[in-house]
Amino acid sequence: MATRGSVKPFVNFNAKHDAEVLRKAMKGIGTDEDAILMLLAARSNAQRQEIKAAYKKAFGKDLVKDLRSELGGKLEDLIVALMYPIILYDAHELHKAIKGVGTEDEVLIEILASRTCEEMKDINKAYKKEYGSKLEKDIMGDTSGHYQRLLVILAQGNREEGVDESRVEKDAKELFAAGEEKFGTDEDKFINILGNRSAEHLRKVFDAYKKIAGCDIEESIKDECTGNLEALLVAVVKCAKSVPAYFAEAVRDSMRRAGTDDESLIRIMVTRSERDMLDVRAIYKKKYGESLYSTIQEDTDGDYQKALLYLCGGND
C-alpha cells in the first residue's frame, strides 16, 4: 500500500488489548461509540483483521456481528466497511452494485476506473472466492453494449505499461477521427485506447489530442457519448490524469448534492484512507478553497462525523 494514506499502522499495536477495549465498550447497558470509533479508525486495515481474530479467540464471538448489533445507522455502515479486508471490500461493493435492485452503475464506474491493475487482479480473486462467480460474468449479465465492453476490459486489470512514444500521436489522431471529425462516433476506438493504454501514455495522448482537436478529450466525450458509457469514459480519463483528483471531485459531489450521498462518502473515505487520502486532501483544498475536513464538519454530524474526521486525518 502507498504511504500517502491518512491512516497508518498504530505503533504500539496489541490486538488482544484492543479486542478487550472493544468488548468493554459493547458490554452491559449502552454502547461507548466513542471508544469504538476512536480505536478502529486509528488502526490500519491489517491491524483490524488481527483485532477481529483476537476478539474471536478471547470471547468466542464475531466482532463484526457484535458491532452491527451495538451500532446503528451511518456509523454502523462506516465501521462495518472499515472491518472488511481492503480488497474484499471492493469486491463486496461491486457485488452489491450488480446484484442489488437495479445496477448501481456509479459504483461500478468508480471502482473499475480507479483501481490499479494489481488491485483489479486481487479483486477478481476475492470476488470469485467470496461469491462463487466471476466478476466479469456478473458484469456481463447486468450491463450491455459499449459500456459493458469497456467495463469488461477494465475488469481484466491488464493495462499496458509505460509509454509507447511512437503511438502517442497515432492514438490522438485515431481518437479525433473516431469522434470530433466525423458524424457519429466510433466508440470501439475510444474503448480500445482508453481501456488498454497506461495512464502515463494516455496523459501524453490527451496533450496531443488537445493540440489536434482544440479542446480537452473530456469535452469531446461529453459531446459524443451519453449515459453510462459517457460517465465511464470520463471517469477513465480523469483517473488517467490523476486518481486523487478524481476522488477529490467525487467526495465533493457526495456532499454537495441535494442531501449527502452517505454511501459514496463512506466508500471513498474508507477506500482512500490508506491509499492516497493526503493527496486527495491537498487537491481538494486547492480546488475548492476549503479543507475536506471542514466540508465533512458542515455536512455530517455526531459520532458518524467524528469517525469520518478521523479517517480524513487532519484539517488543511
Side-chain angles (χ1 to χ4, degrees):
M1 284 288 163
T3 51
R4 298 296 299 157
S6 48
V7 173
K8 305 263 196 285
F10 188 69
V11 184
N12 299 313
F13 177 62
N14 180 332
K16 186 169 177 284
H17 172 262
D18 286 352
E20 283 163 5
V21 171
L22 290 170
R23 180 78 183 124
K24 202 174 141 203
M26 292 188 278
K27 230 167 108 176
I29 299 160
T31 304
D32 187 351
E33 281 94 352
D34 254 18
I36 294 171
L37 69 88
M38 277 167 72
L39 190 146
L40 292 173
R43 302 294 181 270
S44 70
N45 190 277
Q47 289 174 336
R48 290 182 210 121
Q49 306 315 314
E50 287 186 52
I51 296 169
K52 225 188 274 184
Y55 190 90
K56 186 160 267 179
K57 188 172 179 241
F59 309 112
K61 289 166 80 74
D62 183 317
L63 176 56
V64 177
K65 274 197 181 127
D66 282 358
L67 287 166
R68 277 187 197 277
S69 70
E70 293 293 329
L71 303 170
K74 292 178 280 199
L75 179 67
E76 177 189 338
D77 294 342
L78 176 59
I79 296 293
V80 169
L82 284 175
M83 295 309 296
Y84 276 93
I86 291 177
I87 293 295
L88 185 56
Y89 180 68
D90 280 347
H92 164 78
E93 287 294 293
L94 288 168
H95 188 258
K96 195 173 77 178
I98 296 167
K99 293 296 178 197
V101 182
T103 308
E104 289 182 79
D105 292 291
E106 216 179 89
V107 180
L108 292 184
I109 290 168
E110 178 193 300
I111 295 176
L112 290 169
S114 67
R115 299 309 187 251
T116 66
C117 290
E118 205 182 327
E119 285 169 342
M120 215 49 247
K121 290 201 160 79
D122 289 341
I123 289 166
N124 276 303
K125 281 186 204 130
Y127 191 97
K128 179 94 172 56
K129 192 177 164 202
E130 190 71 12
Y131 303 110
S133 60
K134 277 183 140 169
L135 174 60
E136 180 186 326
K137 186 171 163 282
D138 287 352
I139 289 170
M140 290 187 76
D142 229 45
T143 57
S144 61
H146 291 101
Y147 171 59
Q148 177 197 79
R149 287 171 54 191
L150 181 51
L151 286 172
V152 169
I153 290 172
L154 296 172
Q156 307 303 310
N158 265 336
R159 277 190 187 279
E160 295 151 13
E161 285 173 21
V163 178
D164 180 351
E165 294 293 354
S166 68
R167 263 189 9 208
V168 170
E169 196 68 30
K170 186 170 169 284
D171 282 347
K173 284 181 173 145
E174 284 194 357
L175 287 170
F176 182 63
E180 291 286 346
E181 209 176 42
K182 66 194 259 289
F183 184 73
T185 309
D186 179 358
E187 286 97 345
D188 284 340
K189 273 278 180 286
F190 275 86
I191 287 167
N192 187 11
I193 294 171
L194 293 176
N196 287 302
R197 307 283 189 269
S198 72
E200 305 84 66
H201 182 89
L202 286 174
R203 288 196 288 272
K204 296 204 164 189
V205 172
F206 300 158
D207 289 340
Y209 183 90
K210 202 166 187 172
K211 289 188 185 112
I212 301 166
C215 69
D216 198 89
I217 184 127
E218 269 179 60
E219 292 166 49
S220 296
I221 291 167
K222 285 172 181 166
D223 287 345
E224 299 290 327
C225 305
T226 55
N228 287 328
L229 178 63
E230 177 195 337
L232 180 56
L233 285 167
V234 167
V236 168
V237 168
K238 283 179 175 166
C239 288
K241 289 179 182 173
S242 162
V243 170
Y246 169 77
F247 280 108
E249 204 174 303
V251 76
R252 177 82 175 177
D253 281 350
S254 76
M255 292 186 279
R256 284 293 175 251
R257 290 185 193 137
T260 304
D261 173 1
D262 289 293
E263 276 191 17
S264 295
L265 179 57
I266 288 170
R267 190 176 58 253
I268 295 166
M269 295 305 290
V270 168
T271 58
R272 304 328 290 181
S273 62
E274 282 181 57
R275 285 177 170 127
D276 54 10
M277 184 59 73
L278 300 179
D279 299 322
V280 172
R281 269 167 44 189
I283 293 164
Y284 189 95
K285 175 82 193 247
K286 205 173 153 194
K287 193 167 177 184
Y288 302 111
E290 60 179 9
S291 67
L292 175 56
Y293 195 93
S294 64
T295 309
I296 293 170
Q297 278 180 316
E298 281 164 35
D299 244 71
T300 59
D301 54 29
D303 291 317
Y304 171 58
Q305 178 197 80
K306 235 182 250 178
L308 288 170
L309 293 175
Y310 268 106
L311 294 180
C312 180
N315 198 351
D316 303 299

